[in-house]
Amino acid sequence: MAGDSGSWNEKIEEVVKGIVEGRIRLHEADRILGNANAAALARRLALERMLGVGLSSIGSTILDFEEIVGRNIENPIGAVQVPVGVAGPLRVNGEYARGDFYVPLATTEGALVASINRGAKAVTLSGGARARVIHDGMTRAPAFWTPGIDEAVRFVRWVRERIEDIRREAESTTRHGRLIEVQPFIAGNIVWLRFVYSTADAMGMNMATIATDRAAEWILKNYPGTARLVAISGNMCTDKKPAMINMLLGRGKTVVAEAVIKRDVALKVLKAAPEDIDAVNRVKNLLGSARAGSMSYNAHFANIIAAIFIATGQDVAQVVESSMGYTWTEVRDGDLYISVTLPSLEVGTVGGGTRLPTQREALAMLGAAGGGDPPGTNARKLAEIIAATVLAGELNLLAALAANELARAHRLLGRGGARSRG
Amino acid sequence: MAGDSGSWNEKIEEVVKGIVEGRIRLHEADRILGNANAAALARRLALERMLGVGLSSIGSTILDFEEIVGRNIENPIGAVQVPVGVAGPLRVNGEYARGDFYVPLATTEGALVASINRGAKAVTLSGGARARVIHDGMTRAPAFWTPGIDEAVRFVRWVRERIEDIRREAESTTRHGRLIEVQPFIAGNIVWLRFVYSTADAMGMNMATIATDRAAEWILKNYPGTARLVAISGNMCTDKKPAMINMLLGRGKTVVAEAVIKRDVALKVLKAAPEDIDAVNRVKNLLGSARAGSMSYNAHFANIIAAIFIATGQDVAQVVESSMGYTWTEVRDGDLYISVTLPSLEVGTVGGGTRLPTQREALAMLGAAGGGDPPGTNARKLAEIIAATVLAGELNLLAALAANELARAHRLLGRGGARSRG
Amino acid sequence: MAGDSGSWNEKIEEVVKGIVEGRIRLHEADRILGNANAAALARRLALERMLGVGLSSIGSTILDFEEIVGRNIENPIGAVQVPVGVAGPLRVNGEYARGDFYVPLATTEGALVASINRGAKAVTLSGGARARVIHDGMTRAPAFWTPGIDEAVRFVRWVRERIEDIRREAESTTRHGRLIEVQPFIAGNIVWLRFVYSTADAMGMNMATIATDRAAEWILKNYPGTARLVAISGNMCTDKKPAMINMLLGRGKTVVAEAVIKRDVALKVLKAAPEDIDAVNRVKNLLGSARAGSMSYNAHFANIIAAIFIATGQDVAQVVESSMGYTWTEVRDGDLYISVTLPSLEVGTVGGGTRLPTQREALAMLGAAGGGDPPGTNARKLAEIIAATVLAGELNLLAALAANELARAHRLLGRGGARSRG
Amino acid sequence: MAGDSGSWNEKIEEVVKGIVEGRIRLHEADRILGNANAAALARRLALERMLGVGLSSIGSTILDFEEIVGRNIENPIGAVQVPVGVAGPLRVNGEYARGDFYVPLATTEGALVASINRGAKAVTLSGGARARVIHDGMTRAPAFWTPGIDEAVRFVRWVRERIEDIRREAESTTRHGRLIEVQPFIAGNIVWLRFVYSTADAMGMNMATIATDRAAEWILKNYPGTARLVAISGNMCTDKKPAMINMLLGRGKTVVAEAVIKRDVALKVLKAAPEDIDAVNRVKNLLGSARAGSMSYNAHFANIIAAIFIATGQDVAQVVESSMGYTWTEVRDGDLYISVTLPSLEVGTVGGGTRLPTQREALAMLGAAGGGDPPGTNARKLAEIIAATVLAGELNLLAALAANELARAHRLLGRGGARSRG
């Protein structure tokens, strides 16, 4: 009703004023107005006034904040819109993903979608990308303080002996999560217990944290010796930082995708010979990364990972470790074998940002929205598709580099000729 | 007119059919329809039909693809919407950023904005965050092949001697870019030349690539010896991979933010004592990262970096190296000194995704949209604000971990008492 | 007899001439003369003549080359003499090493022995160093080529299923070696199998190599699929290179040594307060190593490791990974807790250089020469003593740095006062 | 005289008793007896008695402790003897080392000398190894504490402005040392100044420490702001730990050695084809090291480095970083190009252990004993020879691995055939 609307307008204006005048803090708007969308509006209007800027584009959103405040965001004022392009068809021969896929990519970097698209064409023309999830486990590693090495050793031994109790406690907090193992590490008197869980279709970090929190509390309550919890995350998880522990022991999904690119496909679609692509991979991705002190041996996994993560509602900060990995090439009878290995691809199809409307549609495009049947199959399907897309993107960039330098060499040769004549 | 509209509908339907039947490829829609928005619609409708999914949310966008296809995206079908929350006010005492800021954060991870907000409160109550950009340079490092070490050495020497020519060539491609230096590295017969540019308000990777490409071509044309370009990016740049070369020599902005959190602020706002926060930082961020084989010594820089990068139109794949860095704490007369050091924060306020409507508004909120006056000041202002926000987020998480474990200890002590009575 | 002697002299002279004139190659001397000591002499004399240098010091050796050529050396000309100093008594409270030890250190670096000695005094006065071996396993990791990820996965699965056969084969080559486990790693189509052995009192690399070689041959012969061995060592062992895999999963012995240095001992013996030592450890060993891109967080483990390795006949090239590790300090009620953690200390008391006369005496000083009873106890005893010695050396250097800077500060303060008066 | 001798015997026996009974400490023997050799004897006899072991082999040494106590060792009891084998002739085409060399290798690892020897043969038959020192500078990096980032920046700027004063101070402590540059690094409020020196023929760490100590004192005295020295070595030097800073910026000598091994030499001498050696290098040294989280991409540089370091009196603890580096191979028209790059080879021909008799002879064999003319040329000559020897050792191992696996494949093929017939 108009009356209500007027009343709303007044209430909102009051809050706007309150914020502008410093009497109301940003997060108080929700409580005062009792409606998350109204609060978002009030905050936006207040900020426009305070900062002297227009925020109408951010305000133009289909999001219903009543559904998402507290779950996905706090203090919302609207949404940012990231363009979504599509690459495909990309043929994937996975264990969970089988068929031709159209991959949604949210990015603002020109040429990225086109680049992946060309790679996808070459892969698909060559019969598609084989993809396999070879490890699956989300981790959380609390750090414990003990008085010394003897107690540290006793503590680790006790944890091992009581693993069934610990599992029961941890799993009591979750429907789908299963504790796979606990990996202990020691430095002097400090102990990390790296809990590894299977988390079905969820990326699982929250699940892992809650379960580990319960397990840690049970441990502290029952351990007869002396141990204190320093932090429920002791950085050996390792979340959102590059770390060799994830490269070696995995976090999330460890996925491999590979293809054999036929020579004529390489030459016609990618304009580069297998030998030249192989040479670029070797100098750039292997020796170059080694020389730079990188722990990631690829050209641009992160471009593809970031674009799919934003599109499908993944935790974008996890691009850090999800994008780490190895590109490997071999020339085989004139064709090009190429593989990408991603040791810690952290993805889910339920929870987090996957439930937001645009993100859920992006997942639906891949036939991977929501929980899989049986549980876990959707997340693995997504992981396989991502790895295959990374393969396509990597292949294309290596080929483009090889082709460019070849073209340049020819061009310079011509010039050189001219020069020598001059 | 209705007639035109009918005509449009028919044309689009034709393209939709063509795509569905495999006669038209996704990227051909733009050329056939002559309009990027119509093409986006056609692709979306076709995919809905082919995949049996609804994409109306993705289709509900304010983006005008006529403006952005080819610059920011290819094969668009719409946009993904990421909720934007605001943390602030956050007081920043930078060289370029001075005052209280409201920081836009695009994320789908619940509690993140609230967490940064609380950290911001503690920082602001303590007088704000000091922030400094201590290095500024975007890099591109082509890899060259030479026959052997003698030629490699000669090549490097020649490049050094002709640096003015190389600078002229490189800078001829750019209005704002300036070549600062060329850092040579050798492994056997392979040479990398790491070109470092100041790029004003642009993040500058494209600028650096184009300038380096021109420089490389000039070098190849004029170098009297034998050298071939393997790849214009030889992975010593290092872009979108974690790498020690960036940690040591910087890439983009090297920024430090710091604050002294007063003891009573720590206790009241953060519910944790400086000593406990310091202990968590030491065990988790220093020893834990060391033990995990990480090269990043912090708790969750990446969360903050990713949220600001998405909101402000940065290259999100660069979250990888932009989020690397060090958190350092000291207890000083009962207060807490805390600093964050980000060696390779790659940000810009012009170019890339910064020109899109919602992203530009997010930058405007920070008073950092578009080119600065003088050039470069907006990008540095943005860098300082980001570092200060990272400081707030890091402070809050360390404090929360410390407070949680303290609370748990108290709880267990109570329980333990109960238990001993039972 | 004189005749024999004359005959010997003539034969040797003939060989010397042959070498000098290029008719005889260095390694042929043994076969021609039929005596390793004579051959060593001939080579030495020839080299003296060819190079115009005197090698009489190198020639002055107690070594009997008849015993060691082919086992420890080829083409010998004598020996190098490295001075051996002794640090001690050092009290060790280990599981295998208990008591006060005098540690032989072979070094040419002045002040090293004295430095360790002072640390040993502080440790011993504080009740000694606790030491524990928390992991024990020598590794060898062959790399296999397979056609692709499916075969790689099959191969790994097959190896796991046939682990008992593989164990039988591996262990058939050794009396004391036991195969603990096989850790598989994959990158695309390449598979590494990291074999982990308990090797009793031997350092065990040769044992591990021979056993793995047999196992690999059995695998290749019996595996029904397609797999080729690329190299019996695929660098994931990892031998003689720094590598995170060893830091995380161990190689050789993982050992921790710790002590609580009483405050008055720190002040009187080490001239430094626990707080200052702790501060140096934190800035130098933790933050400094992190900032340098090191994967080793200590001050000078390598100094102590190298000196004991040379003295006791260890494989000195393994100083590389044996010296990696973490120093951790805490101030506890005014005292200093300090621990050193060495994840991959590779030592033995039988085999290799341990059988040479001077080296064996050095081991005997520690009560750790030859095989232990039960097997393995001597090597672990040695590991504990080494860790305790590393602790002593590390403690002393940190304290010296702290004390020096303190002294300097006082000195400057005085000067500063003078200056301000001037 | 006998009387003197008797008197000596008595005095020594008295000290022996004193040590055994705990009245005299090990290091007091020198002062009491007034003679280092007598003190060494007394300590040895005391230890023999206390520990119930014989130490006569260690006692059988040519070392005159009067010359070396305090310079190279404290608390000596004798020497350890390490067998020295010779590999060669090895042709080196360096800038400083030219000709055929016989390389002394002190090792107890059987087959090592033979292995290097075979590699040397292949290299020499192919025309020799080219070697180049491409960087030369010893470093020491004190860590300074400042109150915050502003002061840190001011401090660094001030140091840059006063660099000539600092150079004067630093160089006032040394005859040959020259301060090349000071590289500053910052993390929050902590500053490292990495001093880089040319140190002529000395390895130079002591020289660098003394000079930096003086410079640091001058800085602290004159800097008008607030800065404290935490440690004269802040671990960014980086000494005796693996660190990327050394890989990127060098420490000691950065050296490259390379050779083109002719195809027939590879096949005849090394029994392996260039393609197979290249494949092993790629899978093992590049991908394998990457997968292991190593920062060193070679097979066994450390074996060769350790053996030469012991033989020639280098600081053996520096094997850690001196042995790090890259092996790179290319197949060129059927021949094998191979290079080794050692970024931080720390060697000298004066000072430290180089003055001991056996070690000096070993250096003399290479024509590199003592100071060069002009200064610095001997150390560089030694560096070139070492790199060339590393090349030989690396080549041989890669070839042996390739040949072994080939042989095994043939053998298995035979067996496989038999098996298939069965």
Side-chain angles (χ1 to χ4, degrees), chain D residues 89-269:
Chain D
L90 169 64
R91 184 158 301 164
V92 183
N93 305 313
E95 193 176 339
Y96 304 93
R98 299 189 158 276
D100 288 4
F101 293 89
Y102 292 87
V103 184
L105 300 154
T107 182
T108 62
E109 302 304 308
L112 180 59
V113 175
S115 167
I116 297 169
N117 203 41
R118 194 178 69 146
K121 185 176 172 189
V123 167
T124 302
L125 282 173
S126 298
R130 188 177 302 276
R132 288 290 178 274
V133 175
I134 61 176
H135 176 84
D136 189 354
M138 178 47 56
T139 65
R140 187 48 94 191
F144 296 85
W145 179 95
T146 74
I149 179 60
D150 268 3
E151 189 74 31
V153 168
R154 261 197 301 273
F155 181 65
V156 167
R157 195 183 305 129
W158 186 88
V159 165
R160 279 185 168 139
E161 287 164 358
R162 307 297 295 269
I163 189 67
E164 287 313 320
D165 293 305
I166 292 167
R167 173 171 289 121
R168 185 198 62 230
E169 289 295 317
E171 295 184 356
S172 73
T173 63
T174 162
R175 193 154 56 102
H176 287 304
R178 293 292 169 265
L179 178 62
I180 302 172
E181 62 173 327
V182 176
Q183 303 162 338
F185 297 92
I186 288 177
N189 61 317
I190 308 294
V191 177
W192 290 260
L193 298 178
R194 193 171 185 259
F195 287 74
V196 187
Y197 299 89
S198 71
T199 59
D201 289 303
M203 177 270 279
M205 202 176 60
N206 285 344
M207 188 189 290
T209 303
I210 292 165
T212 303
D213 197 73
R214 173 75 68 95
E217 186 139 346
W218 185 90
I219 288 170
L220 291 170
K221 192 175 159 191
N222 289 280
Y223 177 59
T226 305
R228 293 205 311 261
L229 187 55
V230 179
I232 193 68
S233 161
N235 270 22
M236 291 196 77
C237 314
T238 299
D239 189 48
K240 299 172 182 172
K241 277 90 61 186
M244 274 308 305
I245 198 169
N246 292 347
M247 302 297 272
L248 287 168
L249 304 183
R251 190 171 198 251
K253 274 71 172 156
T254 301
V255 204
V256 175
E258 68 181 7
V260 175
I261 307 302
K262 296 202 171 69
R263 185 172 196 84
D264 66 327
V265 171
L267 291 171
K268 279 179 201 156
V269 176

Side-chain angles (χ1 to χ4, degrees), chain C residues 168-175 197 207 210-215:
Chain C
R168 185 197 62 232
E169 289 294 319
E171 294 183 356
S172 73
T173 62
T174 161
R175 192 153 57 102
Y197 299 90
M207 188 190 288
I210 292 165
T212 303
D213 197 74
R214 175 75 68 94

Side-chain angles (χ1 to χ4, degrees), chain B residues 3-268:
Chain B
D4 282 22
S5 167
S7 159
W8 264 116
N9 284 351
E10 280 168 31
K11 280 185 194 163
I12 288 173
E13 175 58 26
E14 213 166 295
V15 171
V16 170
K17 268 191 194 161
I19 294 174
V20 172
E21 292 166 6
R23 286 179 289 106
I24 296 175
R25 277 157 54 200
L26 289 179
H27 72 269
E28 294 173 327
D30 298 80
R31 188 179 40 75
I32 295 171
L33 290 168
N35 178 286
N37 292 308
L41 177 60
R43 266 187 298 267
R44 174 162 74 84
L45 295 174
L47 287 168
E48 287 185 331
R49 226 173 280 177
M50 292 161 72
L51 305 174
V53 297
L55 300 174
S56 58
S57 297
I58 287 179
S60 300
T61 177
I62 60 165
L63 294 177
D64 176 2
F65 290 112
E66 285 283 293
E67 293 293 318
I68 65 175
V69 165
R71 290 191 185 174
N72 296 102
I73 196 78
E74 300 84 39
N75 289 357
I77 58 168
V80 73
Q81 301 199 8
V82 184
V84 174
V86 176
L90 170 63
R91 186 159 299 162
V92 183
N93 305 314
E95 193 176 339
Y96 304 94
R98 298 188 159 274
D100 288 4
F101 293 89
Y102 291 88
V103 184
L105 300 155
T107 182
T108 61
E109 301 306 308
L112 180 59
V113 175
S115 166
I116 297 169
N117 204 42
R118 196 178 69 147
K121 186 178 170 187
V123 167
T124 302
L125 282 173
S126 298
R130 190 177 300 279
R132 288 292 179 271
V133 175
I134 60 176
H135 176 84
D136 189 355
M138 178 47 56
T139 63
R140 187 47 98 191
F144 296 85
W145 179 95
T146 73
I149 180 60
D150 268 3
E151 188 75 29
V153 169
R154 260 197 301 273
F155 181 65
V156 167
R157 195 184 307 130
W158 185 88
V159 164
R160 279 185 169 141
E161 287 165 358
R162 305 298 294 271
I163 189 67
E164 288 312 319
D165 293 305
I166 291 167
R167 172 171 290 122
R168 184 197 63 232
E169 289 293 318
E171 295 184 356
S172 73
T173 64
T174 160
R175 193 152 57 102
H176 287 302
R178 292 293 168 266
L179 179 62
I180 302 172
E181 62 173 326
V182 175
Q183 302 162 336
F185 297 92
I186 288 177
N189 61 319
I190 308 293
V191 177
W192 290 261
L193 299 177
R194 191 170 185 259
F195 287 73
V196 187
Y197 299 90
S198 70
T199 59
D201 289 303
M203 178 270 280
M205 200 175 63
N206 285 344
M207 188 190 288
T209 303
I210 291 166
T212 304
D213 197 75
R214 174 75 68 93
E217 187 139 347
W218 184 89
I219 289 170
L220 291 171
K221 192 175 160 189
N222 288 282
Y223 178 59
T226 304
R228 291 203 314 258
L229 186 57
V230 179
I232 192 69
S233 161
N235 270 23
M236 291 196 79
C237 313
T238 300
D239 190 48
K240 298 172 183 172
K241 275 92 61 185
M244 274 309 303
I245 197 169
N246 292 347
M247 302 298 272
L248 287 167
L249 304 183
R251 189 170 200 251
K253 272 73 173 156
T254 302
V255 203
V256 175
E258 70 182 4
V260 175
I261 307 301
K262 298 202 168 67
R263 186 172 195 82
D264 65 326
V265 171
L267 291 171
K268 280 179 201 158

Side-chain angles (χ1 to χ4, degrees), chain C residues 351-367:
Chain C
T354 65
R355 49 193 296 281
L356 299 183
T358 49
Q359 288 83 339
R360 192 175 176 85
E361 286 181 359
L363 283 169
M365 285 177 65
L366 302 171

Side-chain angles (χ1 to χ4, degrees), chain D residues 29-79:
Chain D
D30 299 79
R31 188 180 39 78
I32 296 171
L33 290 167
N35 178 285
N37 291 309
L41 177 59
R43 267 187 297 267
R44 174 161 74 84
L45 295 174
L47 287 168
E48 287 184 331
R49 226 173 281 176
M50 292 159 71
L51 305 173
V53 298
L55 300 173
S56 58
S57 297
I58 287 179
S60 301
T61 177
I62 59 166
L63 294 178
D64 176 2
F65 290 112
E66 284 283 292
E67 294 292 318
I68 66 176
V69 164
R71 289 191 185 174
N72 296 104
I73 196 79
E74 299 83 39
N75 289 356
I77 58 169

Side-chain angles (χ1 to χ4, degrees), chain C residues 112-142:
Chain C
L112 181 58
V113 175
S115 166
I116 297 169
N117 203 41
R118 194 178 69 145
K121 185 177 172 190
V123 167
T124 301
L125 281 173
S126 298
R130 189 177 302 278
R132 290 290 179 273
V133 175
I134 60 175
H135 175 83
D136 189 355
M138 179 46 56
T139 64
R140 187 47 96 192

Side-chain angles (χ1 to χ4, degrees), chain A residues 247 278 282 291 297 329, chain D residues 247 278 282 291 293 297 329:
Chain A
M247 303 298 272
D278 181 59
R282 194 172 171 177
R291 196 72 180 85
Y297 300 78
T329 55
Chain D
M247 302 297 272
D278 181 61
R282 193 172 171 177
R291 197 72 180 85
Y297 300 78
T329 55

